[in-house]
Amino acid sequence: RQQGQSFTVRWKPILGAAVPWVTCALVGVLTALTGAYIHIGVSFCSDLRFGYCSGPLWPLDQERCCGGRDMLTPDGEACAVPATYELFVEGDQSPEDAGRMIQHDSIEWVEWESLLVRDRSSLGSFMAFLVYVFMSVLLTSTAAFLVHNYAPTAKGSGIPDIKAQVSGQMVLHHFDTITLLIKALGLTLTVGA
């Protein structure tokens, strides 16, 4: 029993000193993950105003759909060569496949203009413009709806809230998980619009 108490006495100050460092590291990792999510989401939302990626990998922006920036046409409007993906499907195939079948398929960037009208005309450009405006309004309206109904504390930059918290005032519900999630999603939608 004496040895157990000495273990607790020895490790308590070390654990107490490690908590702020672990907290800072955790906040850094979560900030990086949130930033990566926002970056990918903004790319997808901003490209969604111009078209979509065909195939089962539809939630991709234009660059990822085509297989990278080098695979875009010089004007940047389409894929130079349709990208391919491999889909592994269980099946009874030859022994060298070891029960897996590789299905090759292509994915390609489809512009709204080419989807809505057959030829590139002023009507097609006007329809693409309407889709562009509709998508922008839809994305910003969705962000406003989420903030208004689910996390009203996510309005604004949050800097005054942080300053108030640091100065010692208690700010309730401004640093909840739902506030962070709605703020990140709303930022993604509005910047992408």
Side-chain angles (χ1 to χ4, degrees), residues 3 17 25 34 38 47 60 72 82 87 89 119 125 136 139 147 182:
Q3 194 174 19
T34 304
I38 290 172
D47 283 349
L60 295 175
L72 294 173
L87 181 64
V89 182
D119 57 345
S125 298
S136 294
L139 292 172
V147 169
I182 296 295

Side-chain angles (χ1 to χ4, degrees), residues 37-60:
Y37 159 75
I38 290 172
H39 174 71
I40 292 170
V42 165
S43 296
F44 170 70
C45 289
S46 63
D47 283 349
L48 187 62
R49 298 174 300 164
F50 299 102
Y52 71 98
C53 189
S54 67
L57 302 174
W58 67 267
L60 295 175

Side-chain angles (χ1 to χ4, degrees), residues 57-70:
L57 302 174
W58 67 267
L60 295 175
D61 60 4
Q62 184 181 15
E63 187 177 315
R64 287 179 182 83
C65 180
C66 292
R69 188 175 306 228
D70 298 337

Side-chain angles (χ1 to χ4, degrees), residues 82-188:
T84 59
Y85 67 93
E86 296 177 350
L87 181 64
F88 293 98
V89 182
E90 296 292 329
D92 297 326
Q93 300 299 318
S94 61
E96 55 269 357
D97 285 344
R100 293 182 162 254
M101 178 177 66
I102 301 174
Q103 175 184 349
H104 296 279
D105 205 351
S106 65
I107 54 177
E108 194 168 359
W109 184 256
V110 179
E111 291 182 338
W112 296 118
E113 184 176 2
S114 65
L115 185 69
L116 297 172
V117 293
R118 300 252 186 248
D119 57 345
R120 289 190 173 261
S121 63
S122 58
L123 177 64
S125 298
F126 181 71
M127 295 296 285
F129 171 73
L130 288 179
V131 169
Y132 179 91
V133 170
F134 174 75
M135 290 303 235
S136 294
V137 169
L138 179 70
L139 292 172
T140 53
S141 298
T142 303
F145 175 80
L146 290 172
V147 169
H148 181 74
N149 291 319
Y150 296 105
T153 55
K155 293 179 188 173
S157 67
I159 293 173
D161 305 327
I162 291 172
K163 289 170 83 174
Q165 186 76 27
V166 168
S167 70
Q169 297 190 0
M170 196 65 170
V171 182
L172 297 176
H173 305 295
H174 283 260
F175 303 107
D176 291 344
T177 305
I178 190 72
T179 302
L180 172 67
L181 293 175
I182 296 295
K183 192 175 273 285
L185 183 59
L187 180 67
T188 301

